Amino acid sequence: ADYLDNGNNKMAIQQADKLLKKHKDLHCAKVLKAIGLQRTGKQDEAYALAQEVAALEPTDDNSLQALTILYREMHRPELVTKLYEAAVKKVPNSEEYHSHLFMAYARVGEYKKMQQAGMALYKIVPKNPYYFWSVMSLIMQSISAQDENLSKTMFLPLAERMVEKMVKEDKIEAEAEVELYYMILERLEKYKEALDVVRGKLGEKLTSELQSRENKCMAMYKKLCRWPECNALSRRLLLKNSDDWQFYITYFDSVFQLIDESWTPPAEEEHSLEGEVHYSIEQAVKFIEERITEESKSSRPLRGPYLAKLELIRRLRYRGCNDEYKLGDPEELMFQYFKKFGDKPCCFTDLKVFVDLLPSSQYTKFISQLLEVIPLSAAAEGEIALPADIKALQQHLCVVQLSRLLGIYHAMEKQQKLTVVQELMLRYRHGLEFGKSCLKTELQFSDYYCLLAVHLLLDLWLEGEETAVWQCLTLLEEGLSHSPSNAQFKLLLIRIYCRLGAFEPVAELYSSLDAKHIQHDTIGYLLTRYAEALGHYAAASQSCNFALRFFHSNQKDTSEYIIQAYKYGAFEKIPEFIAFRNRLNSSLHFAQVRTERMLLDLLLEANISTSLEESIKSMSLSPEEDDIPWRDLRDNRDLTVLFSWDPKDRDISEEHRKLSLEEETLWLRIRSLTLRLVSGLPTLTHTIQPKNSEKTTENGVSSKIDTIRSLLQQLEVAVDSGKKFLEQKIQYPVLGPPPTRMAGFFSNGSCQCQTSLFYLVSDIYELDTNGLEDSAEIQERIGNSFKSLVERLTELFNKCKGDLIEVRDGTLKTHPNLLENLVFFVETISIALWVSSYCDSVLRPFKSNLQKKKKKKKESSVAMPPVFTHFLDYVTELQTLTSNVIDHIKGLEIILTALKLEELSLKDTLLLQEEKKFTKTVQGKVQSSYHHSVQEIGELLKKRLDTIKKLKI
């Protein structure tokens, strides 16, 4: 066991063997040996050895624990349940084995069996937790039940009765048990009863979370629309803590609900269960003013009361009745707020919510007013006034962010923008002085100046200023050198390099972000969208693996979280963990990565039909199966991970998100159908009975072609939907969701090529079933298909021609679309080869039959059917075309190597020596990345050329 713990698996196996020589029936030694075998990659031997021990139904703790570890490493949790089922039968009164059995069921989500195991445990050892494990398992059955009616009429009422029994017998001990009771009542929509539980004696046990009782009461009052109670409770909580924002929201919601209902307090008794109620605007205004007065006496400044006043103004304006309540001018209130909190980084995000209260005509005046109160000093006349300390720097940064948000920078002319960029960078470099003592992992105080300068340059780039994008990269690389942990710099660099078609620097940037856990799902798209599209096949494979490793381990990890929640009685967390697991399983990104990874593997590994068949087998791919949960797809991408200070009309909107999800789903459908069609090719190549035989449908092949024809129809539908979608010509914001590869796929002709290749499969299948006699029409159709395919592929190649990077007037311009077209060309030619391989497998037997006939008849010539010539011509033309593309790629490599980037000047901007250094780095990275792409594409095409040469019948 020590050897295993230290990772010395071979020694562990040797030691186990020694022991087994002396005691050949030592179960535990066998299992430890099996663990060693499993870890050295001998899975089958390990499994056989483990089953040998399991068959003996061991009951000693060591063997059971060791087998549990082994099965977990094999990802076979269902075997652990069998193990403990047997152990419990032999040792029926063991509390330990029963609880292990319960946890084993929890790992595989067998909720009904968990319920039974929990009750069995409670009968042996009447401890409350075991009883409530059983109750929770009933709730889990109700959550997972397909039929909601069953959940409401059977599982939940049963759970409720079980808890009520304990309440009646006064056996409720722990807070977790009350939480569980509350959870059941809430799910049964018995809000009144739930409220009584929380307000009653049982509610006194709810102590672990701050305001746990109050929060639960508030939730129930809202469900029951008891606005007087909502109001009184939130008012009371605000008196205790006037900085708790959620209660301001409830307070305002309830006041206006009561006003709309014309509620009046009862004459005799209390206003409500929770005490005094405010039911008029006058009371609300007075209440907020009192909070502000109270705040001035507080030892630390509180933001809540001031923001609440702005929130109240906003709500009153929305109702069209603000002025009569004399709450003051929002502009003045925001100005005062800035004076009080302007040196806090949160000041900008606080005010951002309320800028729509300002009339646009006041924007410039408002910004000037803020600037006047910041202590800045200039060294000499006419120079830029700079802050003397961090406090002033924060205030100034806040104003700059507000200027961007109010659209003041967007309205400027090009020259003005460039001046602002220079000023921001000057302020950025000056601000670095304040951060000299910062650690490598800390951000510099002035980083936002650099980011804002880059945003302005991006505006200029979108307006057609080509040099601006290079300056963006230069400034970001400079920023990163001073602040190596700044994720925003890295994310922005990733987006811009990808826009320019350079993936090489991105892989390193992304790995330095050190994305953890769920981030592989939320920001992984930044990597997987571009790696393969830009020809970095090895990196694409790696980035898919990263993501898939996370998604697959999610299954195992979530089970562990659920078990911990049972152990510690954190029942309310269990449904959250289940929801989390479902959310990841139906993640759009997970589905995309799975599909693209398989297509990529086929591209890299499958050269000829035999290896295509092997690859498809090893992935357990089948054309009939579709494992994508289309109806439940969840878009978990974080599209706001990049900071943006853009005004609302330029920012990412809900509409953009919806459209992007629609586009991603359409593209995923096209890719998934392509993968399934390719996986259907090897199923057709099995021997076919002659056409008059009855057996055609029995041996399953004719149903295989039906599958392919049906998938082809679905592909046509998906392609039509995709084209319709693209007709909308949607423009996402520059830092919004990246568009898919769909537009390129249609415009460069890959789509038409790939579709017609799959139609060709159908024709060749027909030729195969009908034989060569009387098939002149099909042969001619196949011949025409071959001709038009070569034309289409040549057209696709023409779309790949041109310089990838060109130097124009001292400016660099990249053409990533040519790179994307080349990648599509490689994919399309690969599909063409797999289809040709199928043609080859159909035509070869025909040819050998003809040759046999020729020998029999001793004739010097048997007329060769035209389909053979068509096929030979087609393969020869494919070979020529592929050779031409390889030559073109060699040419690109030479050009890219010879490209001298030194003399590029970024005119319009006075570059510092420092910036020149970074500019050179950036251009070098882009050049090297393109070179790398072209090399990988070239290598892959050479493999394809070798395959074509083998195809001549």
Side-chain angles (χ1 to χ4, degrees):
D2 288 344
Y3 285 122
L4 287 173
D5 290 344
N6 300 330
N8 193 344
N9 299 314
K10 284 190 178 149
M11 272 306 286
I13 296 173
Q14 283 171 19
Q15 289 297 325
D17 280 335
K18 274 186 197 169
L19 262 173
L20 287 167
K21 270 185 190 151
K22 291 182 195 163
H23 316 278
K24 68 174 197 301
D25 292 332
L26 199 57
H27 300 335
C28 192
K30 279 188 186 175
V31 184
L32 291 173
K33 178 182 175 180
I35 293 176
L37 290 167
Q38 167 74 16
R39 289 179 185 173
T40 47
K42 296 177 181 162
Q43 281 86 352
D44 295 343
E45 287 179 53
Y47 181 65
L49 202 54
Q51 290 315 83
E52 213 178 287
V53 178
L56 300 168
E57 302 187 341
T59 54
D60 64 298
D61 206 29
N62 292 338
S63 301
L64 290 169
Q65 291 287 358
L67 275 167
T68 304
I69 291 168
L70 176 63
Y71 289 150
R72 241 190 254 173
E73 287 183 18
M74 288 178 162
H75 304 299
R76 299 285 304 272
E78 71 285 357
L79 295 176
V80 182
T81 59
K82 297 207 169 44
L83 204 59
Y84 278 104
E85 279 168 357
V88 162
K89 270 191 193 130
K90 287 190 175 175
V91 192
N93 285 336
S94 162
E95 177 180 4
E96 188 187 349
Y97 291 173
H98 270 286
S99 67
H100 279 310
L101 178 61
F102 180 88
M103 294 310 175
Y105 287 141
R107 271 199 186 86
V108 289
E110 291 255 16
Y111 303 127
K112 184 156 180 51
K113 287 186 176 169
M114 284 163 74
Q115 179 202 339
Q116 292 159 349
M119 280 322 282
L121 248 172
Y122 184 67
K123 278 178 188 147
I124 302 167
V125 193
K127 290 181 184 170
N128 270 19
Y130 298 150
Y131 187 85
F132 284 95
W133 282 5
S134 190
V135 176
M136 185 64 215
S137 306
L138 273 168
I139 298 181
M140 295 313 297
Q141 286 177 70
S142 90
I143 291 173
S144 59
Q146 299 298 317
D147 176 4
E148 196 166 313
N149 197 22
L150 197 65
S151 155
K152 288 264 166 72
T153 55
M154 189 170 102
F155 298 124
L156 288 171
L158 182 56
E160 183 190 11
R161 284 201 297 280
M162 282 179 75
V163 182
E164 275 172 358
K165 178 175 179 288
M166 295 297 263
V167 175
K168 281 195 184 105
E169 293 169 14
D170 200 18
K171 283 187 183 167
I172 299 277
E173 293 166 2
E175 177 175 12
E177 296 158 16
V178 182
E179 288 273 7
L180 197 54
Y181 193 17
Y182 173 79
M183 184 156 64
I184 295 167
L185 293 170
E186 190 183 16
R187 285 176 181 272
L188 279 168
E189 295 175 15
K190 294 188 170 184
Y191 304 128
K192 169 89 179 60
E193 291 82 344
L195 190 63
D196 294 341
V197 168
V198 180
R199 287 181 56 95
K201 191 160 174 279
L202 288 176
E204 289 167 17
K205 294 192 188 298
L206 300 169
T207 52
S208 67
E209 277 182 42
L210 195 65
Q211 293 170 337
S212 173
R213 280 180 92 175
E214 287 88 343
N215 287 334
K216 286 185 167 59
C217 284
M218 192 74 88
M220 291 304 101
Y221 288 141
K222 282 181 186 166
K223 292 275 189 201
L224 293 163
C225 295
R226 287 171 62 167
W227 301 113
E229 276 75 11
C230 277
N231 180 275
L233 182 55
S234 53
R235 190 190 70 83
R236 216 175 64 225
L237 290 166
L238 285 169
L239 288 173
K240 257 199 248 171
N241 172 11
S242 61
D243 212 25
D244 200 328
W245 188 248
Q246 56 168 338
F247 296 130
Y248 280 114
I249 299 299
T250 313
Y251 176 77
F252 290 140
D253 284 347
S254 57
V255 167
F256 289 116
Q257 283 283 355
L258 292 170
I259 291 170
D260 293 341
E261 290 171 13
S262 319
W263 184 85
T264 51
E268 297 300 314
E269 66 255 38
E270 277 277 358
H271 279 197
S272 76
L273 280 179
E274 299 286 351
E276 189 192 332
V277 176
H278 286 172
Y279 51 95
S280 70
I281 295 175
E282 288 77 10
Q283 284 170 309
V285 171
K286 183 168 175 259
F287 180 66
I288 298 301
E289 295 288 11
E290 281 167 4
R291 297 291 63 69
I292 292 176
T293 317
E294 282 293 308
E295 191 279 336
S296 55
K297 299 173 195 163
S298 139
S299 55
R300 66 181 185 91
L302 303 175
R303 293 145 50 217
Y306 298 96
L307 293 171
K309 192 169 188 178
L310 286 164
E311 175 65 22
L312 184 54
I313 291 175
R314 188 181 32 208
R315 291 185 180 226
L316 288 170
R317 273 202 186 173
Y318 178 71
R319 296 170 72 91
C321 59
N322 176 35
D323 302 335
E324 54 264 40
Y325 294 102
K326 306 286 179 284
L327 274 163
D329 178 27
E331 193 180 341
E332 179 56 30
L333 292 173
M334 283 157 92
F335 174 58
Q336 293 303 334
Y337 187 83
F338 175 79
K339 282 202 327 206
K340 206 168 171 69
F341 300 104
D343 58 336
K344 303 269 185 293
C346 60
C347 183
F348 168 73
T349 39
D350 286 346
L351 292 179
K352 180 182 180 176
V353 188
F354 298 109
V355 288
D356 49 358
L357 293 176
L358 297 174
S360 52
S361 55
Q362 299 290 317
Y363 288 170
T364 328
K365 179 179 151 247
F366 176 62
I367 293 293
S368 318
Q369 192 184 4
L370 297 185
L371 282 171
E372 277 164 21
V373 295
I374 306 173
L376 302 175
S377 52
E381 191 63 42
E383 280 192 20
I384 289 173
L386 298 166
D389 56 19
I390 296 172
K391 237 176 166 173
L393 179 133
Q394 284 289 9
Q395 286 177 307
H396 189 268
L397 252 180
C398 179
V399 178
V400 175
Q401 293 174 76
L402 283 167
S403 308
R404 173 87 184 163
L405 179 71
L406 295 172
I408 292 171
Y409 291 154
H410 295 87
M412 291 178 173
E413 297 294 308
K414 176 182 153 185
Q415 207 42 54
Q416 278 177 296
K417 279 185 184 168
L418 284 171
T419 314
V420 172
V421 169
Q422 282 189 336
E423 183 199 327
L424 290 172
M425 286 313 289
L426 179 93
R427 290 185 179 284
Y428 164 67
R429 291 178 187 122
H430 166 259
L432 292 175
E433 289 172 21
F434 301 125
K436 279 188 177 147
S437 61
C438 284
L439 299 172
K440 274 257 189 290
T441 49
E442 293 177 319
L443 306 188
Q444 288 291 332
F445 296 107
S446 58
D447 279 352
Y448 278 11
Y449 282 127
C450 182
L451 275 176
L452 282 152
V454 171
H455 277 248
L456 274 162
L457 287 165
L458 280 175
D459 294 348
L460 286 168
W461 182 47
L462 291 180
E463 287 157 21
E465 187 58 43
E466 211 43 62
T467 48
V469 73
W470 295 99
Q471 211 185 340
C472 284
L473 291 171
T474 301
L475 298 184
L476 287 167
E477 291 279 6
E478 180 187 340
L480 200 54
S481 72
H482 297 298
S483 198
S485 297
N486 191 318
Q488 288 300 321
F489 286 160
K490 293 174 188 175
L491 290 164
L492 206 42
L493 277 166
I494 287 174
R495 283 303 295 269
I496 297 172
Y497 276 129
C498 286
R499 281 287 291 253
L500 292 175
F503 187 79
E504 200 173 38
V506 168
E508 194 184 326
L509 282 163
Y510 186 84
S511 78
S512 74
L513 276 171
D514 202 14
K516 294 271 194 295
H517 202 255
I518 185 76
Q519 288 172 316
H520 288 302
D521 190 18
T522 55
I523 61 173
Y525 71 93
L526 295 170
L527 209 56
T528 48
R529 156 65 181 87
Y530 290 104
E532 185 191 348
L534 297 172
H536 282 257
Y537 296 112
S541 226
Q542 203 182 4
S543 54
C544 287
N545 283 347
F546 269 158
L548 288 174
R549 207 173 303 143
F550 160 67
F551 283 115
H552 292 315
S553 70
N554 152 53
Q555 286 292 352
K556 198 171 80 221
D557 296 347
T558 313
S559 305
E560 293 310 313
Y561 306 150
I562 291 168
I563 284 170
Q564 293 306 319
Y566 269 108
K567 277 187 186 161
Y568 295 108
F571 296 123
E572 74 280 8
K573 291 284 169 246
I574 296 174
E576 288 175 29
F577 290 140
I578 302 278
F580 177 72
R581 178 162 67 193
N582 295 343
R583 178 181 149 193
L584 287 182
N585 285 343
S586 43
S587 155
L588 164 77
H589 186 233
F590 183 23
Q592 287 169 323
V593 173
R594 274 199 316 258
T595 308
E596 290 297 345
R597 170 65 211 273
M598 290 195 260
L599 278 166
L600 183 63
D601 280 357
L602 293 179
L603 269 189
L604 298 179
E605 288 161 21
N607 271 327
I608 36 181
S609 66
T610 50
S611 69
L612 177 70
E613 187 166 0
E614 281 160 23
S615 298
I616 286 170
K617 218 186 220 147
S618 71
M619 294 179 198
S620 5
L621 258 176
S622 108
E624 291 84 8
E625 279 174 33
D626 182 6
D627 67 343
I628 297 174
W630 294 106
R631 305 181 67 149
D632 306 319
L633 273 185
R634 286 281 306 260
D635 185 1
N636 297 330
R637 293 173 301 164
D638 181 353
L639 298 177
T640 51
V641 64
L642 285 143
F643 288 169
S644 165
W645 295 270
D646 286 345
K648 249 200 191 112
D649 56 335
R650 287 168 175 264
D651 212 3
I652 302 170
S653 65
E654 217 24 71
E655 186 61 13
H656 289 134
R657 283 169 194 276
K658 254 187 22 216
L659 289 165
S660 171
L661 173 59
E662 188 185 337
E663 180 180 351
E664 294 285 353
T665 310
L666 285 167
W667 177 235
L668 175 60
R669 206 175 272 282
I670 291 172
R671 301 297 280 169
S672 154
L673 287 164
T674 307
L675 176 65
R676 287 168 66 194
L677 279 160
V678 170
S679 75
L681 286 176
T683 61
L684 300 176
T685 49
H686 307 305
T687 49
I688 289 175
Q689 305 289 334
K691 68 169 175 181
N692 41 11
S693 132
E694 291 303 310
K695 289 191 174 166
T696 343
T697 36
E698 275 175 46
N699 66 11
V701 177
S702 75
S703 61
K704 298 285 184 200
I705 192 70
D706 293 341
T707 304
I708 291 216
R709 284 171 182 157
S710 138
L711 287 173
L712 198 43
Q713 276 178 322
Q714 292 174 46
L715 182 64
E716 286 282 12
V717 173
V719 165
D720 281 346
S721 311
K723 285 179 176 162
K724 277 203 188 80
F725 179 87
L726 290 173
E727 279 164 14
Q728 304 173 66
K729 297 202 170 23
I730 292 148
Q731 286 288 316
Y732 301 112
V734 63
L735 299 176
T740 63
R741 299 164 64 195
M742 190 158 64
F745 180 64
F746 292 153
S747 65
N748 63 27
S750 307
C751 176
Q752 293 84 331
C753 275
Q754 293 187 14
T755 320
S756 45
L757 276 163
F758 294 123
Y759 275 115
L760 175 62
V761 171
S762 179
D763 284 345
I764 287 172
Y765 178 85
E766 209 171 308
L767 178 72
D768 196 4
T769 28
N770 297 344
L772 289 175
E773 297 81 27
D774 327 318
S775 61
E777 190 192 326
I778 298 180
Q779 291 192 44
E780 192 182 339
R781 201 161 69 217
I782 291 173
N784 291 338
S785 292
F786 283 147
K787 274 201 200 98
S788 79
L789 266 169
V790 173
E791 283 165 18
R792 280 183 169 157
L793 282 164
T794 313
E795 234 169 83
L796 173 52
F797 170 42
N798 290 335
K799 299 256 171 79
C800 303
K801 288 179 180 168
D803 286 333
L804 294 175
I805 300 181
E806 53 174 339
V807 181
R808 214 191 284 158
D809 318 329
T811 309
L812 214 55
K813 181 157 179 53
T814 61
H815 295 287
N817 58 316
L818 295 178
L819 205 50
E820 295 216 16
N821 289 351
L822 265 172
V823 171
F824 273 129
F825 178 84
V826 175
E827 185 181 298
T828 309
I829 206 95
S830 303
I831 295 177
L833 277 182
W834 295 327
V835 171
S836 309
S837 238
Y838 169 58
C839 299
D840 185 55
S841 69
V842 168
L843 295 178
R844 254 178 220 277
F846 280 144
K847 184 163 186 182
S848 59
N849 286 346
L850 283 170
Q851 278 163 340
K852 279 177 199 162
K853 273 185 195 166
K854 184 172 150 184
K855 276 184 188 156
K856 266 187 197 164
K857 294 185 179 175
K858 300 206 165 71
E859 285 175 29
S860 57
S861 69
V862 172
M864 274 290 177
V867 72
F868 289 106
T869 349
H870 295 324
F871 183 62
L872 269 178
D873 292 350
Y874 167 66
V875 172
T876 315
E877 285 180 310
L878 273 188
Q879 187 177 331
T880 316
L881 177 62
T882 310
S883 301
N884 290 345
V885 180
I886 291 173
D887 291 342
H888 169 66
I889 285 176
K890 278 184 193 144
L892 289 177
E893 277 193 56
I894 294 165
I895 294 169
L896 282 168
T897 314
L899 198 62
K900 288 276 180 285
L901 300 174
E902 273 76 325
E903 63 276 8
L904 290 182
S905 64
L906 290 170
K907 55 184 194 336
D908 288 343
T909 56
L910 310 161
L911 282 184
L912 306 168
Q913 209 45 45
E914 173 92 339
E915 282 186 30
K916 280 190 179 138
K917 179 182 85 187
F918 287 111
T919 304
K920 215 166 150 181
T921 314
V922 162
Q923 293 175 344
K925 281 181 179 178
V926 171
Q927 180 186 12
S928 150
S929 177
Y930 268 88
H931 195 259
H932 186 131
S933 297
V934 167
Q935 269 177 325
E936 281 207 41
I937 294 170
E939 290 300 314
L940 202 47
L941 269 180
K942 281 179 200 152
K943 278 192 195 169
R944 296 295 171 262
L945 186 59
D946 295 343
T947 312
I948 297 175
K949 289 175 182 167
K950 292 179 193 154
L951 265 183
K952 310 231 168 143
I953 326 174

